[in-house]
Amino acid sequence: IAIKNSIIDNNFILSDTWLAWGDSFTIGVTSAGYPNDNACLQLANLTSTTLINKAVSGTMAPYPYAVVDYPNDTINTVAYADYSSIVRYGFNDIRSTGVMYTNVFSWQKIYSNLIFSLSIPQASINNMRGGGLTENGTWADTPVYGFGRYNSSTAVGDYLEVDITGRFYYLSITAVTSLGTTPIYEISIGGVKQSYVHFDALTISTGTGDYTGFGVLIDMATSASRTVKIEAKFTTSSVYVNWIGGWDRTTTNMRSVMCCSIPHFNFEHTGASPFNVPTDERRLAFNNAIEETVKIAKYAGLPVVYNKYLSGINNFQSDNIHPTESCNRVQAEHMLEQISNY
């Protein structure tokens, strides 16, 4: 068992059953000749806890919204209300050349949408299906998912509003930007304009539609019940209001989330990797985005921690990409340092 370091942020609480999110470094490699081993599995073994591994090889931070049951589970499935999460996306993201990945600010909004959906108490998330909505325009339930409403009439002045209680408000919104449009929506809370949301190509096609969440956090300073209104100011494309969270720093049943940094791989200096590798500057920018997301979540009272893995990874399986069992053990022990209940 790793020795605790009192200097680092070790306020993460690992639930008896917990979730892991990420790519092949998190799911493990199951092809011939490679052990099904990864740092999260090692952590589960060290703590005698049950791991539900939601990672998928080759994926990036927007991926959970491309798989219908993933956000449905975290937002609607009662059992998931008590599950903590460890999130290890990033290495595939920094190798991507898509619009969303070359603009780190845009990527952070996508990443934060996932983190907040995992940490806000499930009971404090309005899935936009429970009634109490006032709408202008043509709105309907978002297809496929068990949450969300979408506006297909795409006219200026269309709006959706609902009463939400809290000091902090987090809005998960999506626009179908594949139509070549840049819709602008205004957000008001308690009758006061708070923000404009400009969707400039921030979403991706997922096969079931462009449903990748884009997050907005607003602090109203005091906790109260207020009307949240989302109104179209310029648009010719559909907008999806996925969910809205409302809470304050004393809200119970928050879910712990550990956001892991993107590690450095020693093959990046040797050129031994079989794929193009990112620059250190690009990794730093994305890690800064992850760390900034954690700071924002902490400000809002959510139990989210940043796991900064400083060591270079240099012990690889024969594919020259994925860490060995011993290397995964080191990463697991590093995560263990930040877990307060083990």
Side-chain angles (χ1 to χ4, degrees):
I1 301 298
I3 298 175
K4 302 289 184 181
N5 183 341
S6 60
I7 298 175
I8 65 174
D9 184 355
N10 59 355
N11 295 319
F12 179 86
I13 297 177
L14 187 70
S15 52
D16 292 338
T17 300
W18 54 281
L19 309 170
W21 307 82
D23 51 34
S24 58
F25 296 112
T26 301
I27 192 62
V29 183
T30 57
S31 56
Y34 301 142
N36 185 12
D37 185 67
N38 58 81
C40 286
L41 179 60
Q42 291 267 12
L43 180 62
N45 292 336
L46 286 170
T47 55
S48 298
T49 53
T50 301
L51 165 63
I52 299 176
N53 205 325
K54 294 285 192 176
V56 177
S57 179
T59 56
M60 297 170 278
Y63 180 77
Y65 270 65
V67 181
V68 174
D69 68 316
Y70 284 9
N72 281 348
D73 282 341
T74 58
I75 293 170
N76 291 330
T77 302
V78 174
Y80 280 59
D82 298 322
Y83 292 166
S84 55
S85 290
I86 293 180
V87 181
R88 304 180 75 220
Y89 286 110
F91 193 68
N92 289 313
D93 300 70
I94 60 177
R95 296 192 299 114
S96 175
T97 58
V99 173
M100 187 165 52
Y101 305 99
T102 54
N103 183 336
V104 177
F105 174 77
S106 299
W107 182 85
Q108 182 184 344
K109 295 298 183 182
I110 304 296
Y111 182 83
S112 72
N113 177 81
L114 172 62
I115 302 307
F116 276 75
S117 71
L118 297 175
S119 187
I120 297 172
Q122 196 178 73
S124 298
I125 294 177
N126 188 316
N127 68 2
M128 315 310 291
R129 296 290 180 87
L133 303 176
T134 301
E135 299 168 336
N136 181 61
T138 305
W139 293 82
D141 287 347
T142 301
V144 183
Y145 294 100
F147 60 91
R149 297 280 287 173
Y150 81 100
N151 172 24
S152 60
S153 55
T154 65
V156 171
D158 287 356
Y159 67 84
L160 175 153
E161 60 183 18
V162 62
D163 291 340
I164 302 286
T165 299
R167 167 182 170 173
F168 300 101
Y169 293 80
Y170 193 92
L171 294 83
S172 174
I173 310 173
T174 299
V176 181
T177 57
S178 57
L179 300 178
T181 61
T182 55
I184 299 174
Y185 278 74
E186 178 185 283
I187 298 171
S188 63
I189 299 179
V192 180
K193 182 178 69 176
Q194 301 295 326
S195 176
Y196 284 106
V197 181
H198 182 199
F199 287 92
D200 192 11
L202 298 184
T203 57
I204 61 171
S205 177
T206 64
T208 55
D210 292 330
Y211 302 139
T212 302
F214 172 78
V216 179
L217 175 69
I218 297 173
D219 179 7
M220 296 300 292
T222 60
S223 184
S225 177
R226 301 178 177 90
T227 300
V228 179
K229 183 177 183 180
I230 303 168
E231 182 176 358
K233 293 299 182 180
F234 172 78
T235 181
T236 55
S237 65
S238 299
V239 68
Y240 298 79
V241 181
N242 301 315
W243 53 269
I244 301 175
W247 75 99
D248 60 40
R249 290 174 177 151
T250 63
T251 302
T252 58
N253 299 319
M254 296 179 182
R255 296 171 284 183
S256 290
V257 179
M258 180 183 293
C259 302
C260 298
S261 66
I262 306 167
H264 177 80
F265 291 79
N266 287 0
F267 59 59
E268 296 173 35
H269 289 308
T270 66
S273 171
F275 48 67
N276 293 328
V277 295
T279 63
D280 286 337
E281 290 80 6
R282 188 158 166 76
R283 175 187 295 97
L284 177 62
F286 274 75
N287 278 339
N288 286 344
I290 295 172
E291 191 169 14
E292 185 65 21
T293 297
V294 173
K295 290 178 181 178
I296 294 170
K298 282 183 172 297
Y299 171 79
L302 298 174
V304 179
V305 304
Y306 180 58
N307 179 264
K308 188 173 184 178
Y309 190 76
L310 296 176
S311 302
I313 294 177
N314 57 6
N315 295 315
F316 300 100
Q317 299 179 30
S318 60
D319 65 356
N320 212 25
I321 302 174
H322 297 93
T324 60
E325 181 177 346
S326 60
C327 189
N328 277 312
R329 171 73 180 223
V330 172
Q331 294 179 68
E333 291 179 346
H334 180 65
M335 290 189 288
L336 184 59
E337 291 180 348
Q338 291 183 257
I339 299 175
S340 62
N341 57 327
Y342 283 91

